[in-house]
């Protein structure tokens, strides 16, 4: 018990938040998780500064706190935005608190920013404080915090990153379980069981159009459990389905958290009612409610989802069938159970195994009471009723709690039925044995040694599991042991389907043998001869295949503890029971184990045999291996006097034989009557069952036909209405057709008239065009003649004009006028050049003034800089700095004078170039003047071209944008020179 001062509380105070966006229809919730326990605050408004004002506390002791601090166990706070309407939670961000920061003295709260914040534009923060407080209340053991278990890593962080779609169940064939989740973290074992308990109203799933097989159809339920296909035992009657509840279980290796994620992704198990390879209906069992978040019930007891689920036909949506009433709906009772392996199962199994011998005693003692009335030495097999799956006592530690409970219940409710079924074959196989044993007969007798004991040996082949064959096996078991008195093979029936990683309980696997032998001979035989049990695969298409053989060492039962019980006559009897699991070795190839067989054998010793002569009946075919056949003792000598005929042994034997024959005839007739009555009852029951089936099918078909009749009546009404609409539409169509025909005739007549008119107009137009063409040809001839005459006149006028032009050029007034025009152009050109030179001069002056100003500015700036430097120097360097400044000013003056000299030289050079250019232009003008006089005499059109070029050049220069150095002005000058050259050459 932890002392009161060692109990601590880790208190996390979540005060308020800031920098959150406003969301009117959402609430804020903070969930805190520590050591697998999760707490949450109350929802608050999603505002800018939400106020939580909540304290969350976890209880633990100092030892656990120290362990958590060593492992650096974090406290993770997750902030969610909750939608109250849809109950969906949206993760906003999280905060991780270090447990080592928690101290017992109170600390000021701190602001923690949200990590992985969804609101990227907001820097959301929450004010939190963490402190350790001493727990003052009385500790409760049920709610005490657990000590921190050793951890290999951050398992919650790993599980939070798992994708539910990527979690699959992986079969581990060697260990016999399904792994769900990472193997290094998921190490807890669970058992998932699915039980189909009952079914009702299944006949509603068979449509009237479906054809069932001609032979008696078999129905069964099918579902898939973690990738394993599971089917139950077939049944025939749909109206009253009679099948035993069957349970299918699988082992799972995982954790509760991973299973929650896995079941939320799987959602449902589909169970189908099948006939052959056709599904008649299905239902879905949800798995989401099996493990709820934060539910810890599975740690104390199994959790289950059970109830009655409605079966739905696969094509109800396509057929648009009306919904059935609740009392007529097909229903299936299903229970899905999940529990941790090993919880409360050991005690239940121990209790069940303690009570098992009593059940075995009841099951074996009932036939023994009847068998001991006839002290004949016989060997009789007494198969019990078929054992359903889950009705035998568990022999493995993997039996779940629910299986143990169901086993106890099934034994208590069905024990008497099994005992009666086991007793019936024995009592029927020996009719009249008691009466025949009391009378003397002349049949063959066998002498039984005085030391022989009456034994009863029973064999119960329980289950087959851990099958290692690559295909499903229709399993039957077969064995034979002649020592028990019968060489006929004993077989289980019917065949059961066995798959990998499944445990299947065998039907009709119990058999009991009664025989008499001496104990030392029994012991020697059991040690020397094991019981060989053969595993056969029964296939309808091919012959049976022997898969393997199991060797049952019967001598093991002899070494076990004997239990005492009382026989039918009060004598003391002894019982020895042995339950084991042996391997089934392959019959062919390598001697490998292909399966495991669980069985139970019981040896009962009823003591010495009281009668030492046993009458062998005609039906006896074989004797026990322990029986010893000895000749009958010789009769004693009798007197030679002749006895009465009725007193002779022969007469008595014949009389006894006749009486025995009559008795056998009566017994045979009674048996025939009983069989006839049983067959009649079976036929009556079958007739009633078939009649019920037919009645149910007739009711269903009547309902379907009524529905079809209503649909046909509605369809007929629609057809009549549609027929009336078609008649009216047809009459309307005839009227429209007549109108269209008349309209067509009118249009055709109008078209013929218009075609005739167009043809006449075309013929008239052609005649007009022909007359026009003829007139145009005449005009063409006339115009060609006029053209020739005008051309001749033009040639004559051209000659006259040339003569006149030559005459005009020879006159002095014309020549003087052309010279005046040329001089005027030259004057204009010179004025333009003068103006451009003036502008250039002004431009150079402006540039010169700007250069002087810049030079003065630079000089002033340099002087100011020099003065600033001089003031910062020491006083003793003042004289040297003044001399340096004077030298520098002198140098600057020289530089300025040199620059002025360069500028003056440049101006003189430009002036000389301008003078040369003007003189060259004057010479060019004079030359051009002479050339132009000759040119004007030859071609006046060249003068116009030259005038236009000069005007364009002058216009460009007058704009002030262009000067003589520009490319376009130079090009115009070149063209002017070329034009002048052409005019001079033409002269």
């Amino acid at each position: 018990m932890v002392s009161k001062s060692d109990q601590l509380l880790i208190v996390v105070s979540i005060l308020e938040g800031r920098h959150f966006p406003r969301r009117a229809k959402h609430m804020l919730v903070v969930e805190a998780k520590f050591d697998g326990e999760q707490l949450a605050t109350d929802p608050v408004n999603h505002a800018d500064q939400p106020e939580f004002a909540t304290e969350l506390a976890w209880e633990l002791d100092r030892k656990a706190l120290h362990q958590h601090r060593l492992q650096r166990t974090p406290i993770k706070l997750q902030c969610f935005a909750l939608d109250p309407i849809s109950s969906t939670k949206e993760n906003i961000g999280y905060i991780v608190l270090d447990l080592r920061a928690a101290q017992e003295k109170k600390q000021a709260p701190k602001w923690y920013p949200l990590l992985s914040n969804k609101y990227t534009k907001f820097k959301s923060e929450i004010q939190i404080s963490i402190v350790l407080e001493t727990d003052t209340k009385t500790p409760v053991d049920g709610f005490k915090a657990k000590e921190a278990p050793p951890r290999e890593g951050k398992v919650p962080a790993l599980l939070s990153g798992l994708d539910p779609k990527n979690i699959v169940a992986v079969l581990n064939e060697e260990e016999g379980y399904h792994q769900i989740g990472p193997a290094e973290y998921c190490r807890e074992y669970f058992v998932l069981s699915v039980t189909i308990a009952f079914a009702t109203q299944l006949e509603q799933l068979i449509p009237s159009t479906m054809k069932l097989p001609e032979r008696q159809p078999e129905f069964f339920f099918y579902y898939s459990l973690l990738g394993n296909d599971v089917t139950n035992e077939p049944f025939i009657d749909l109206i009253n389905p009679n099948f035993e509840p069957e349970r299918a279980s699988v082992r799972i290796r995982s954790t509760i958290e991973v299973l929650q994620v896995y079941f939320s992704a799987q959602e449902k198990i589909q169970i189908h009612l099948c006939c052959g390879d056709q599904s008649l209906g299905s239902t879905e069992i949800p798995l989401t409610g099996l493990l709820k978040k934060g539910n810890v019930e599975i740690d104390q007891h199994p959790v289950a989802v059970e109830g009655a689920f409605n079966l739905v036909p696969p094509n109800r949506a396509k057929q648009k069938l009306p919904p059935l009433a609740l009392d007529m709906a097909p229903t299936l009772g299903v229970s899905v159970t999940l529990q941790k392996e090993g919880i409360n199962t050991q005690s239940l199994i121990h209790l069940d195994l303690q009570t098992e011998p009593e059940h075995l005693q009841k099951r074996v003692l009932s036939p023994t009471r009847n068998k001991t009335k006839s002290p004949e030495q016989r060997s009789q097999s007494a198969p019990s009723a078929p054992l359903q799956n889950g009705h035998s006592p568990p022999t493995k530690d993997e039996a779940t709690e629910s299986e143990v409970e169901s086993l106890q219940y099934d034994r208590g409710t069905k024990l008497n039925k099994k005992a009666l079924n086991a007793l019936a074959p024995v009592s029927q196989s020996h009719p009249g044995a008691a009466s025949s044993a009391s009378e003397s007969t002349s049949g063959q007798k066998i002498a039984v040694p005085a030391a022989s004991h009456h034994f009863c040996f029973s064999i119960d082949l329980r289950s087959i599991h851990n099958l290692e064959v690559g295909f499903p096996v229709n399993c039957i078991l077969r064995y034979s042991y002649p020592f028990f008195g019968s060489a006929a093979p004993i077989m289980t029936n019917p065949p059961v389907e066995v798959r990998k990683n499944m445990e299947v309980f065998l039907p009709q696997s119990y058999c009991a043998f009664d025989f008499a032998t001496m104990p030392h001979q029994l012991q020697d035989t059991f040690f020397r001869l094991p019981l060989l049990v053969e595993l056969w695969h029964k296939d309808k298409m091919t012959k049976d295949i022997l898969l393997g053989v199991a060797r049952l060492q019967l001598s093991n039962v002899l070494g076990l503890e004997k239990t005492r019980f009382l026989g039918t006559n009060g004598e003391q009897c002894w019982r020895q029971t042995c339950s084991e699991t042996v391997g089934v070795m392959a019959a062919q190839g390598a001697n490998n184990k292909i399966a495991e067989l669980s069985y139970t054998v019981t040896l009962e010793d009823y003591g010495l045999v009281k009668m030492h002569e046993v009458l062998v009946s005609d039906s006896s075919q074989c004797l026990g291996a322990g029986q010893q056949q000895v000749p009958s003792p010789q009769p004693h000598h009798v007197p030679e006097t002749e006895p009465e005929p009725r007193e002779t042994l022969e007469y008595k034997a014949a009389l006894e034989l006749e009486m025995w024959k009559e008795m056998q005839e009566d017994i045979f007739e009674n048996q025939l009557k009983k069989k006839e009555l049983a067959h009649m009852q079976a036929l009556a029951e079958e007739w009633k069952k078939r009649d019920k089936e037919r009645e149910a099918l007739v009711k269903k078909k009547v309902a379907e036909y009524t529905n079809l009749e209503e649909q046909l009546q509605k369809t007929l009404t629609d057809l009549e209405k549609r027929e009336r609409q078609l008649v009216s539409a047809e009459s309307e169509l005839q009227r429209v057709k007549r109108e269209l025909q008349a309209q067509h005739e009118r249009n055709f007549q109008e078209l013929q008239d218009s075609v005739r008119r167009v043809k006449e107009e075309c013929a008239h137009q052609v005649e007009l065009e022909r007359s026009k063409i003829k007139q145009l040809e005449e005009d063409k001839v006339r115009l060609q003649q006029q053209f020739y005459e005008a051309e001749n006149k033009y040639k004559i006028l051209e000659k006259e004009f040339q003569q006149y032009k030559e005459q005009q050029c020879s006159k002095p007034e014309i020549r003087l006028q052309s010279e005046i025009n040329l001089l005027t152009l030259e004057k204009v050109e010179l004025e333009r050049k003068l103006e451009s030179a003036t502008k250039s001069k002004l431009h150079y002056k402006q540039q010169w003034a700007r250069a002087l100003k810049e030079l003065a500015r630079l000089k002033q700036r340099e002087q100011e800089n020099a003065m600033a430097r001089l003031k910062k120097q020491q006083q003793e360097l003042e004289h040297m700095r003044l001399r340096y400044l004077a030298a520098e000013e002198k140098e600057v003056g020289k530089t300025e004078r040199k620059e002025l000299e360069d500028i003056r030289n440049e101006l003189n050079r430009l002036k000389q170039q301008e003078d040369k250019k003007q003189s060259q232009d004057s010479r060019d003008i004079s030359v051009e003047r002479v050339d132009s006089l000759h040119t004007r005499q030859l071609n006046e059109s060249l003068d116009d071209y030259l005038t236009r070029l000069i005007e364009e050049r002058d216009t460009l220069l007058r704009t002030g944008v262009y000067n003589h150095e520009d490319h376009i002005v130079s090009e115009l000058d070149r063209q002017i020179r070329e034009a002048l050259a052409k005019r001079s050459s033409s002269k």
Side-chain angles (χ1 to χ4, degrees), residues 410-653:
D410 292 343
R411 283 203 196 94
T413 56
K414 299 185 179 180
L415 182 60
N416 296 329
K417 182 179 177 181
K418 289 185 178 181
L420 292 174
N421 290 336
L423 176 61
V426 178
S427 60
Q428 292 178 5
S429 60
H430 300 282
S435 61
S436 62
S438 62
E439 298 182 6
S440 61
T441 61
S442 59
Q444 183 182 2
K445 295 183 179 180
I446 295 177
V448 179
S452 297
H453 283 232
H454 177 199
F455 291 100
C456 178
F457 191 86
S458 63
I459 303 174
D460 187 6
L461 303 178
R462 293 292 185 88
S463 62
I464 287 286
H465 51 89
N466 293 340
L467 184 67
E468 298 294 337
V469 182
F471 57 91
V473 176
N474 290 327
C475 167
I476 61 171
L477 297 181
R478 172 179 172 178
Y479 61 90
S480 174
Y481 205 72
F483 177 75
F484 294 148
S486 175
I490 308 299
M491 293 183 293
T492 62
N493 189 49
V496 293
E497 184 177 3
V498 185
R499 298 175 182 267
K500 278 189 176 183
N501 301 313
M502 287 179 58
E503 181 176 3
V504 178
F505 295 90
L506 301 169
Q508 299 189 14
S509 60
Y510 176 82
C511 188
F513 300 92
D514 284 309
F515 59 94
T517 186
M518 290 183 288
H520 68 85
Q521 193 172 3
L522 174 70
Q523 185 175 0
D524 179 65
T525 305
F526 279 5
F527 275 101
R528 185 168 45 87
L529 297 175
L531 177 62
L532 301 181
V533 181
E534 300 174 348
L535 174 62
W536 288 80
H537 170 59
K538 193 173 183 64
D539 195 346
K540 297 180 181 180
M541 306 302 295
T542 60
K543 65 179 183 178
D544 298 348
I545 303 172
L546 176 61
L547 298 179
V549 178
R551 299 173 64 90
L552 276 60
Q553 194 65 37
L554 301 181
S555 59
N556 295 340
V557 74
L558 299 176
L560 297 178
E561 182 181 359
K562 293 184 179 181
T563 58
R564 185 170 58 183
F565 66 97
L566 296 178
T568 56
N569 296 327
E571 69 274 12
Q572 289 188 359
C573 304
W574 300 92
R575 178 186 294 122
Q576 292 172 289
T577 303
C578 177
S579 297
E580 289 183 346
T581 300
V582 296
V584 180
M585 301 302 172
Q588 298 178 358
N591 193 15
N592 296 329
K593 185 172 73 173
I594 61 172
E596 292 183 356
L597 172 63
S598 297
Y599 70 95
T600 300
V601 293
T602 304
L603 178 63
E604 296 177 349
D605 185 0
Y606 292 96
L608 295 173
V609 178
K610 297 179 181 179
M611 294 186 64
H612 301 290
E613 287 185 351
V614 179
L615 176 66
V616 181
S617 63
D618 296 337
S619 60
S620 300
Q621 301 296 331
C622 57
L623 299 174
Q627 300 170 1
Q628 298 179 359
Q629 184 175 358
V630 295
S632 58
Q634 297 293 332
H636 299 285
H637 293 282
V638 295
E640 293 182 358
T641 59
E642 291 292 333
E644 291 293 330
R646 293 181 181 273
E647 298 297 331
T648 60
L649 294 175
E650 289 82 359
Y651 182 82
K652 290 182 179 180

Side-chain angles (χ1 to χ4, degrees), residues 314-490:
N315 54 355
R316 177 176 292 276
K318 295 181 181 179
Q319 295 180 356
K320 297 181 180 179
L321 298 176
L324 296 173
L326 293 178
D327 55 346
M328 296 295 293
T331 308
L332 181 64
V334 183
S335 173
V336 181
T337 307
L338 179 70
Q339 79 164 33
K340 276 191 175 181
E341 192 175 67
I343 297 179
N344 297 333
T345 57
Q346 299 297 332
S347 60
L348 290 174
I349 292 174
H350 179 67
L351 176 62
D352 188 46
L353 290 177
Q354 288 179 351
T355 58
E356 180 182 358
E358 298 178 2
H359 295 293
L360 290 175
Q361 180 178 352
K362 293 179 182 178
R363 184 171 57 186
V364 177
L365 283 179
S366 298
T368 304
R369 293 189 185 99
N370 290 335
K371 287 185 280 186
T372 54
K373 292 179 182 179
S374 172
E376 299 176 357
Q377 177 65 26
R378 64 188 183 277
S379 172
Q380 176 64 38
S381 64
S384 67
L387 294 175
Q388 301 296 334
N389 293 352
H391 296 162
S392 298
T395 58
K396 295 179 65 176
D397 294 338
E398 287 81 2
T400 62
E401 180 184 0
S402 58
E403 289 176 343
V404 174
E405 293 173 355
S406 65
L407 291 177
Q408 294 174 350
Y409 175 75
D410 292 343
R411 283 203 196 94
T413 56
K414 299 185 179 180
L415 182 60
N416 296 329
K417 182 179 177 181
K418 289 185 178 181
L420 292 174
N421 290 336
L423 176 61
V426 178
S427 60
Q428 292 178 5
S429 60
H430 300 282
S435 61
S436 62
S438 62
E439 298 182 6
S440 61
T441 61
S442 59
Q444 183 182 2
K445 295 183 179 180
I446 295 177
V448 179
S452 297
H453 283 232
H454 177 199
F455 291 100
C456 178
F457 191 86
S458 63
I459 303 174
D460 187 6
L461 303 178
R462 293 292 185 88
S463 62
I464 287 286
H465 51 89
N466 293 340
L467 184 67
E468 298 294 337
V469 182
F471 57 91
V473 176
N474 290 327
C475 167
I476 61 171
L477 297 181
R478 172 179 172 178
Y479 61 90
S480 174
Y481 205 72
F483 177 75
F484 294 148
S486 175
I490 308 299

Side-chain angles (χ1 to χ4, degrees), residues 693-716:
E693 292 179 359
R694 285 193 295 270
E695 184 178 357
L697 292 176
V698 165
K699 287 182 179 179
K700 184 176 181 181
K701 288 187 177 181
V702 166
E704 292 179 357
Y705 291 156
T706 304
N707 190 15
L708 288 175
E709 184 180 1
E710 293 176 356
Q711 293 180 359
L712 289 174
Q713 189 68 27
K714 184 178 179 181
T715 306
L716 184 61

Side-chain angles (χ1 to χ4, degrees), residues 805 809 932-945 979 982-983 986-987:
K805 192 174 181 180
C809 288
S932 63
L933 291 175
H934 296 290
T935 303
R936 288 183 184 275
Q937 293 176 359
L938 296 177
N939 193 0
E940 292 181 355
S941 63
L942 191 60
D943 294 338
D944 297 335
Y945 176 67
K982 286 181 181 179
R983 191 174 64 174
S986 63
K987 293 180 180 179

